[in-house]
Structure formats: C-alpha cells, structure tokens
C-alpha cells in the first residue's frame, strides 16, 4: 500500500462514519450545524493523529498484557489537552460541543485505529492513517451537519438563505438519524459507482 | 510491565499538568471575558470592572450573582445573573441589566437548552421577544405572559419558555430589591 | 393432491386482491368522519384531504416506477389510505407545501425505503404526522376555531391542549369545566382538532363497519381504550381536581382515530392475541403518560409509533403455542 493510499483509504473506502459505522455518538449528537460537525471532527482528528503517532512510538516497549490501559491513558491525555486548549481559545465552540469533547476518549474510532493500525506500524504510517481517517471523519460530520443545518435552519455555516424557520426536525435528534440513513444510501451508491470492481 | 505502565502514566500526567498550567490563565480570561462581555451588553457605560467584586446569593436552590457597574463612583446599573428551572429544556440562565431606578435595560441569554426554532427564540439573535422588556420597570410591568394575565407577549407556541423567561427576570428583580433595601 | 396443502410459517401474505379489498373497506369506514370534517371545516377539509391522498399516491407511483422499478403497487389502495389517515391527523389550515412534505415523508421515508407495503416498520401516516408536528409546531397546533364549540377562552385550542394549559397555570379542573365542549359536542364533532378526530360518533360507526366486514378484530382498540380508561380512571379517582375523567380522555384528541384505525394497521401491529394485548396496553399507558405528565398535550401518535418499534420483538417472543404441544413445564 503506497503512502498516499494509506491516507486516502480513510476518505471513502474505509470512511469511519459511512462505511465502518464507528463513532456514532458524536456523529449523531453534535452535527446540528455544519460548524459544530466540523469542530467536533477536527477535535477528533487531532486526537486521532496524535494518539496514533504516540502509540506507534511506544508500541515496542509496551507489553501486550497492558497495551489497552496504556493506549487509553495516552488517548485520554490527548483528549484532556485538546479540551483545555479549546476551553482556552475557542470557548464558544467548546460551550456548544460540551460533553462530547471529553467523550472523544471513548470514541471507538480512536481506540480502534490504535489497536488495529498504530500498534503494528511505524510512526509516519500511523500518522498518515490517523490523518486519513480523521479527515474522513471531518468530511462526514461536516456533510451531515451541513445537510441538517440546511434543511433544519435554512442556513449553511451560519449564513442564512431563508427567512423564518426551517424544517425543525432536522436539527433535533430524529432528524440526525434520518439524514444519516439517507446520506449512507447516497454514499454507498456513489462509492459503488466509483469502484465497481469492489463487489 | 508495571514499570512501563507507570512510566507512561507519569509522562502523560506530566504533559496534562503542563498544558493545564499553560492554559489556566487563558481559560480564566475567557471566562472573565464572557461574563464582562455579557455585563457590558446589558448595562450602560461603566469604567470599573464589575466582574471583580460580584455579590453572590443563593436563591431557590440556585446561585445568583449581582454585578454592580459604576462610573466615577456613581452606580450606573446592576447586572444580575439569574436562572430558572422552569424552562422546557431545564435550566435557563440570563443576565439581566437593571438601571439604578429598577427598570430593565437589556437582557442576554447566557445558557439555554430550549427547543431550536421554538423556545430558543428567547435569544436576542433569534427573535425580538426579549426587546419588549427593555425600558420597562417590573414595578408597573407585570412579568408574566398575557395568557396568565401579565403584560408579556409570549413566543408563539412556546408559552412554557416565555413563562420561564419571565420567571427568571422576576427572580432577578426581586433579588435586586432585597439587596437595595 | 400434494400441491393443495400449503405449509408455510406465518405471516401468510395476502394476495393483492385481498389487500385492496381490506384497504378499501378501511377507506369506506373513514367516510363518515370525513363527512363530519367537511361539515365542520368546510372546503378546507376537502382541499387538505384531496391534496394529501393525491400526493401520497403520486409519490408511491414515482418511487415504485423510477427508483424501485418493481410492479406498480398503487392500485392496492394502501397509498390512498395513508393519504387519508395523514390528512385526518392534520389541522385544516395547514399550508399546502407542508401537507405535500408530510406525504413525502410518509411514503418516501417511512414506507418505500423499507420495501413498501408489508415491510414498513412504522405506520407511514403517523410518521408523516409526527414529522410535521415536530418540524412545524406552530402550524400543526393552530386550529381554526369551531364556532359552536369554542367559548372565547379556548378559541382554536384542542380540548386536550386547553386542559393541559390550564393545569400548568395551576387552575383546578372545576374552574375550566364550563369552557370545555360538552360530551355531546365532542361526540358530534363540534370542537377544534385534526380533521378526522373531531367526531367520536362517526369514528365509532366506522369501527362497527370494520368489525362487521371482519377487516379488523376488536382486540387492539379494546385493549388500548381499556388501558387508557383504567389508567386515567385511577388518576381521576385519586385526585379529581387535577386529573380529568377517563371519558374525556377517550373522546378527546386522537384516541378513537388512533386506536381504531392506526394502531390496527396490519403491517405494524402484532400477529396474535397475546401480542396485541401487550401492544394495546403499551399504547394506552404511553398515551396517558404523555398526556398527563409529558410536554405535549396529545400522545396517541407517539405512543403508537413507539409500540410499532416493539412489534418485531413482540412477534418474536409471543408466539402462539403449537397445536397439540403440551405447555412447557417450568
């Protein structure tokens, strides 16, 4: 697998949200607008990239028996760091994302990549993998948030296109499930068209 | 095995501690900025830092804070951080600005979890609901929605949120009255 | 000879002819209620119902023809019924584009993606209604005042919404009783509400027709209504000033429309009597819980949708005992 493929597989072929169906809690919970989805995605991407690198770095010294506690400690530390930084420099975004930021610790994408990839590969490869999956996550959350914002509030990235309210259900919880389901249909249709050989 | 785990934990906690030290100041500053920003929005001009000497009081199981804004030693207004638990989505926190004569100058929403598109219209950026309070004195402006015999025009289909909003403003006014006395 | 006996596990799928007969019978049973809504709400009722039925059929046709590319299913009357039931759950003043959107959700979100009639998990008409209720709460809860029913105090509010509002204000029931429509007004449709829910009598006439034609059995409606009566009756007996009488709960809101015509939808209700008992009791309990303690004044549609979601589970665990088999010993 070339270095580029390492990065690119996270975008479509192994997209964490639409293909692997990992990290559903923040995916459905935070994507009430494009900017919220993107903020959550970027925070997760940072943690994912950094923790992947750190875990790849220590993979040879960590005994097998305690690898999960070690991974979690590393991930939790990065999450706390990101949380503190957000609190300090983007307090508004932090206020909207609230409890979902500390919950990045238990996002299965991150532990999943640590276990499945970073613990067996070099630092650079792990970074690429983390970046690819992270960007895929950011894209998915931004698209989901954008669609919900567009339908639910008639705006995109805070810019309003209509007067009055949108279709409220889309910014509420049930709308998240509906939009997610239909986006997944579209995504599968598109990726089937992109590489018809995969079947 | 134990040594490795211990080492990793040590390194990580050291790193987190370091970041905490570095960010402690900006976090406090951001919080201060938020409070003084909200105060500045609700009371007229002042030259002191009201966030410096807040007066806190426990009312109805919640904490309320009164900030006094002065200019040249003269009281220009009070900003009262108030709350209500009657909201559709739970607690609503408001910053209510009063002029020295007890009339309302401006109201800002600090925290709310009301339904988007309905109850969240209490926010100034979403609708003009909060504007009707400005310049009114609760002494002769009855702080309850018209349906309940008050003077407040409720948000359409969000009577509960409107009612909660009135409740919070009234609580702020009552607190201010007891303090001034 | 060997081909005569067909052995297959339930559900036994009905032939297309039979489906269309059943669906048509339900439509016929709804006609009295439709007539009342036209009398009370006038031409608005005609427009809303017509638009709803036409759009539902059209959406189903388009999806079947161009997306699923299967055999056409619109002549089984199910889309007509969905459109009719959806319209019955809407206020007569709803803007046309919102009606069309509700139909789109009912057909293109709740029905066809699951595979069309027979495979949908939730009642399509109710999904459409709840979608509209959550999305456009202002329009979905503003009803044109009905001249005879409403005193000034409750113009345009449904009786349930009015009671909820008054209780929230801390008023006792005895204070508001004079403003509520009388039971006879509620029986004949002189009150505010969704198009199809206002006339209790017309709905009961339809129920009797359905029973006579053996389209539905009595189980689900009776379980739902019985549970509601029991639950609200207990509350009422415990505190008469704050919990309104069971009779009111039965006549008001969508109780009858929901219990008779929507909870009994074949696809989304359990297959045997014990299952129907669980399902009906669940609907009754949730409805009263939402009405009495919840934020919304009416809970029938939410209750049916919630119990719809449990139907596969009920069907899995509540199986009829096999004939000739001794009951399992514990």
């Amino acid at each position: 697998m070339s270095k580029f493929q390492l990065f690119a597989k996270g975008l479509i072929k192994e997209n964490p949200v639409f293909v692997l169906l990992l990290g559903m809690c923040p995916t459905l919970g935070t994507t009430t607008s494009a900017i919220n989805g993107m903020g959550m995605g970027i925070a997760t991407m940072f943690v994912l990239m950094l923790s992947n690198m750190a875990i790849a770095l220590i993979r040879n010294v960590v005994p097998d028996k305690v690898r999960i506690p070690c991974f979690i400690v590393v991930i939790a530390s990065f999450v706390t760091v990101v949380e503190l930084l957000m609190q300090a420099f983007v307090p508004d975004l932090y206020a909207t994302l609230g409890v979902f930021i500390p919950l990045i610790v238990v996002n299965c994408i991150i532990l999943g990549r640590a276990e499945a990839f970073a613990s067996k590969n070099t630092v650079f490869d792990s970074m690429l993998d983390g970046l690819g999956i992270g960007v895929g996550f950011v894209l998915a959350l931004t698209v989901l948030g954008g669609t919900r914002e567009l339908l639910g509030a008639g705006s995109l990235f805070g810019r309003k296109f209509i007067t009055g309210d949108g279709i409220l259900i889309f910014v509420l919880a049930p709308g998240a499930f509906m939009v997610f389901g239909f986006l997944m249909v579209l995504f599968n249709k598109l990726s089937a068209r992109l590489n018809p050989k995969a079947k | 095995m134990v040594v490795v785990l211990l080492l990793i934990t040590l390194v990580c906690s050291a790193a987190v501690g370091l970041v905490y030290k570095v960010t402690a100041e900006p976090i406090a500053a951001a919080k201060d900025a938020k409070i003084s920003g909200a105060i500045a929005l609700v009371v007229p001009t002042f030259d002191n830092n009201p966030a410096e000497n807040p007066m806190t009081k426990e009312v109805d199981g919640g904490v309320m804070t009164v900030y006094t804004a002065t200019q040249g030693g003269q009281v220009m207004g009070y900003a009262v951080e108030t709350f209500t638990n009657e909201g559709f989505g739970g607690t609503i926190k408001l910053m209510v600005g009063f002029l020295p004569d007890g009339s309302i100058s401006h109201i800002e929403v600090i925290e709310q979890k009301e339904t988007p598109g309905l109850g969240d219209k209490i926010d100034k950026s979403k609708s003009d609901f909060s504007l009707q309070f400005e310049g009114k004195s609760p002494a002769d402006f009855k702080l309850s929605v018209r349906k309940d015999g008050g003077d407040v025009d409720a948000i359409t289909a969000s009577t509960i949120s409107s009612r909660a909003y009135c409740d919070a403003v009234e609580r702020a006014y009552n607190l201010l009255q007891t303090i001034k006395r | 000879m060997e081909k005569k006996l067909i052995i297959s596990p339930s559900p036994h799928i009905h032939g297309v002819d039979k489906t269309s007969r059943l669906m048509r019978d339900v439509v016929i049973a709804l006609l009295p209620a439709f007539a009342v809504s036209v009398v009370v709400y006038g031409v608005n009722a005609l427009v809303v119902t017509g638009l709803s039925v036409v759009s539902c059929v059209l959406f189903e046709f388009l999806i079947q023809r161009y997306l699923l590319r299967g055999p056409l299913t619109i002549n089984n009357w199910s889309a007509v019924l969905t459109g009719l039931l959806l319209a019955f759950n809407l206020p007569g003043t709803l803007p046309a584009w919102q009606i069309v959107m509700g139909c789109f959700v009912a057909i293109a979100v709740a029905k066809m993606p699951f595979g069309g009639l027979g495979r949908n998990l939730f009642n399509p008409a109710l999904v459409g209604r709840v979608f509209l209720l959550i999305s456009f709460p202002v329009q979905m809860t503003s009803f044109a005042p009905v001249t005879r029913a409403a005193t000034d105090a409750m113009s345009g509010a449904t009786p349930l919404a009015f009671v909820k509002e008054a209780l929230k204000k801390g008023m006792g029931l005895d204070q508001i009783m004079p403003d509520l429509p009388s039971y006879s007004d509620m029986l004949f449709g002189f009150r505010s509400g969704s198009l199809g829910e206002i006339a209790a009598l017309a709905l009961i006439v339809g129920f009797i027709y359905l029973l006579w034609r053996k389209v539905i059995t009595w189980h689900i409606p009776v379980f739902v209504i019985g549970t509601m009566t029991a639950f609200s009756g207990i509350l009422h007996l415990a505190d008469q000033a704050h919990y309104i009488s069971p009779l009111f709960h039965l006549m008001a809101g969508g109780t009858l429309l929901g219990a008779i015509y929507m909870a009994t939808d074949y696809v989304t209700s359990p297959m045997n009597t014990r299952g129907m008992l669980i399902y009906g009791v669940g609907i009754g309990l949730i409805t009263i819980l939402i009405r009495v303690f919840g934020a919304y004044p009416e809970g029938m549609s939410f209750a049916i949708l919630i119990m719809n979601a449990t139907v596969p589970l009920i069907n899995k665990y509540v199986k009829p005992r096999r004939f000739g088999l001794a009951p399992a010993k514990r």
Side-chain angles (χ1 to χ4, degrees):
Chain A
M1 206 184 271
S2 78
K3 300 286 177 207
F4 178 72
Q5 276 174 321
L6 265 185
F7 166 74
K9 72 175 190 309
L11 300 185
I12 293 174
K13 217 176 111 210
E14 285 181 31
N15 187 292
V17 174
F18 290 125
V19 178
L20 303 181
L21 291 181
L22 291 176
M24 286 299 100
C25 168
T27 301
L28 296 169
T30 61
T31 52
T32 50
S33 71
I35 203 79
N36 285 358
M38 203 165 154
M40 185 69 205
I42 290 173
T44 311
M45 185 180 80
F46 268 110
V47 174
L48 180 58
M49 215 169 76
L50 293 172
S51 69
N52 253 12
M53 286 165 70
I55 284 161
L57 200 65
I58 59 169
R59 72 184 192 279
N60 290 326
V61 293
V62 173
D64 227 25
K65 270 187 185 162
V66 291
R67 69 183 195 286
I68 300 284
C70 288
F71 295 170
I72 288 290
V73 169
V74 170
I75 294 168
S77 312
F78 280 121
V79 170
T80 316
V81 167
V82 167
E83 188 188 352
L84 288 170
L85 288 175
M86 284 182 77
Q87 235 173 324
F89 301 112
V90 279
D92 287 338
L93 187 62
Y94 179 78
T96 28
L97 296 178
V99 72
F100 287 101
I101 296 294
L103 279 180
I104 295 177
V105 180
V106 289
N107 190 322
C108 30
I109 298 173
I110 293 173
L111 188 61
R113 288 332 283 180
E115 176 76 2
F117 195 92
S119 64
K120 301 183 190 90
N121 288 283
T122 63
V123 175
F124 186 66
D125 284 0
S126 300
M127 188 203 76
L128 282 180
D129 176 76
L131 189 68
I133 297 276
V135 171
F137 193 63
V138 173
L139 283 180
L141 259 63
T142 312
V143 170
L144 191 54
T147 315
R148 288 179 65 190
E149 190 184 348
L150 200 61
L151 292 169
S155 59
L156 197 59
F157 288 102
R159 208 166 307 150
K160 207 123 169 78
F161 298 122
I162 57 159
T163 51
D165 300 322
I167 308 162
L168 284 178
I169 198 171
F170 286 113
V171 288
L172 300 171
F177 285 90
M178 278 169 56
V179 173
F180 181 61
F182 279 94
L183 280 181
M184 207 154 73
V185 170
L186 269 181
F187 194 86
N188 281 338
K189 198 111 194 162
L190 279 182
S191 57
R193 198 164 288 178
L194 279 181
N195 40 349
K197 276 178 288 174
K199 281 189 179 170
Chain B
M1 188 169 81
V2 178
V3 179
V4 174
L5 190 55
L6 190 73
L7 271 178
I8 289 176
T9 321
L10 265 180
V11 171
C12 285
S13 47
V16 170
L18 188 74
V19 175
Y20 176 76
K21 261 231 149 93
V22 173
T23 54
E25 211 166 302
I27 289 177
K31 270 188 187 151
D32 264 8
K34 202 172 175 197
I35 293 174
S36 29
I39 296 171
L41 283 173
V42 296
V43 291
T45 49
F46 52 86
D47 58 5
N48 68 331
N49 182 5
E52 259 174 8
N53 49 354
M55 195 178 344
T56 56
K57 200 159 187 217
E58 208 165 304
V59 185
D60 300 339
V63 179
M64 293 173 62
T65 318
V66 179
Y67 304 94
T68 312
T70 59
Q71 185 157 29
Q74 182 93 20
V75 173
M76 296 304 287
Y78 305 92
V80 184
E81 194 184 331
T82 178
F83 71 97
T84 176
N85 296 324
E86 310 283 307
F88 198 77
T91 308
I92 301 174
K93 282 188 181 159
L94 303 177
M95 182 73 87
V96 186
F98 290 99
L99 296 176
D101 67 355
S103 63
I104 298 168
S105 65
H106 295 281
I107 306 176
E108 281 292 320
V109 173
I110 298 179
E111 189 188 313
Q112 55 94 4
K113 298 193 246 350
E114 303 301 286
T115 320
L118 282 173
D120 75 343
K121 287 188 179 151
I122 56 174
D123 203 320
K124 211 173 259 180
S125 59
K126 305 267 165 59
S127 90
D128 291 344
F129 169 74
S130 68
L131 299 184
Q132 63 179 307
F133 293 87
E134 292 176 5
K136 306 276 169 53
S137 172
D140 53 13
F141 181 77
K142 198 152 177 273
L143 280 172
S144 55
V145 298
R146 277 190 204 285
K147 247 184 199 164
D148 302 347
D151 295 323
V152 177
D153 292 315
I155 301 165
T156 321
S158 309
T159 317
I160 296 175
S161 303
S162 314
R163 224 173 251 160
Y165 193 88
C166 295
D167 178 59
V169 176
E170 186 149 28
R171 184 162 297 139
Y173 180 71
N174 292 343
L175 178 71
L176 196 64
Q177 292 306 306
T178 52
I179 283 174
K180 277 212 265 181
R181 234 173 256 142
Chain C
M1 187 62 206
E2 59 201 52
K3 286 281 172 190
K4 284 270 169 69
L5 195 64
I6 301 166
I7 301 169
S8 72
S10 65
H12 306 282
I13 295 165
H14 296 293
V16 175
D17 292 337
K18 198 140 183 232
T19 309
S20 67
R21 181 189 77 89
L22 296 172
M23 295 291 167
R24 206 164 46 221
D25 267 343
V26 182
V27 171
I28 292 170
L30 285 168
L31 288 180
F34 178 56
V36 175
S37 74
V38 173
V39 170
V40 174
Y41 285 115
V43 76
N44 270 348
L46 275 174
V47 173
V48 170
T49 313
L51 186 62
S52 173
V53 170
V54 170
S55 352
C56 278
V57 173
L58 189 69
F59 283 132
E60 177 149 339
F61 171 76
L62 291 176
I63 289 171
Q64 193 74 22
R65 183 75 180 265
Y66 296 105
L67 276 176
L68 297 181
R69 301 198 182 89
L72 278 184
T73 49
I74 49 167
N75 42 11
N76 67 12
W77 284 72
S78 71
V80 175
L81 182 60
T82 300
L84 195 60
L85 282 175
L86 178 61
F88 274 22
N89 276 292
L90 303 176
T93 49
L94 203 67
W97 64 275
Q98 289 179 4
I99 299 171
V100 175
M101 186 180 285
C103 294
F104 180 77
V105 171
I107 300 293
V109 173
K111 190 174 174 191
M112 302 316 278
F114 292 90
L117 182 71
R119 299 197 184 86
N120 51 305
L121 191 56
F122 298 100
N123 186 324
L126 280 178
V127 174
R129 173 197 144 83
V130 166
F131 178 91
L132 290 175
L133 179 66
I134 296 176
S135 299
F136 310 107
V138 178
Q139 291 90 333
M140 280 294 285
T141 49
S142 338
F143 300 94
V146 177
T147 29
R148 232 193 84 183
T151 54
D152 285 346
M154 58 168 299
S155 61
T158 62
L160 276 174
F162 181 70
V163 168
K164 181 138 223 160
E165 189 70 33
L167 289 176
K168 271 246 165 71
K169 261 191 272 178
M171 287 163 77
L173 279 177
D174 42 339
Q175 282 168 276
I176 53 169
M177 265 331 218
D179 291 331
L180 285 176
S182 68
Y183 286 126
S184 73
D185 275 351
M186 285 164 83
L187 204 55
F188 294 112
F190 296 106
R191 56 159 151 160
S192 290
S194 303
L195 290 182
E197 71 180 22
I198 51 175
L201 189 66
L203 293 170
I204 294 170
V205 169
F207 183 39
I208 294 168
Y209 174 78
L210 288 181
L211 287 180
W212 173 61
R213 297 279 290 176
K214 295 203 168 64
V215 174
I216 58 171
T217 59
W218 55 269
H219 299 89
I220 292 175
V222 169
F223 291 147
V224 171
I225 289 171
T227 310
M228 287 178 66
T229 313
F231 190 13
S232 60
I234 293 169
L235 291 174
H236 182 61
L237 288 179
D239 182 358
Q240 301 221 349
H242 292 101
Y243 298 107
I244 202 155
S245 83
L247 190 58
F248 178 82
H249 274 298
L250 297 192
M251 307 267 273
T255 306
L256 292 171
L257 183 65
I260 299 171
Y261 300 93
M262 307 222 269
T264 52
D265 175 30
Y266 294 116
V267 182
T268 56
S269 62
M271 289 180 298
N272 61 52
T273 318
R274 268 189 306 155
M276 287 176 181
L277 178 68
I278 299 174
Y279 174 78
V281 169
I283 292 175
L285 280 179
I286 296 171
T287 305
I288 296 291
L289 274 177
I290 294 177
R291 280 186 181 181
V292 175
F293 303 106
Y296 282 93
E298 169 62 312
M300 196 72 199
S301 40
F302 295 110
I304 296 178
L305 285 179
I306 291 169
M307 290 313 286
N308 277 170
T310 69
V311 166
L313 209 62
I314 294 177
N315 279 340
K316 183 167 177 205
Y317 286 104
V318 186
K319 287 188 176 138
R321 194 160 57 86
R322 270 188 230 162
F323 183 69
L325 215 66
K329 290 205 177 74
R330 300 208 171 225

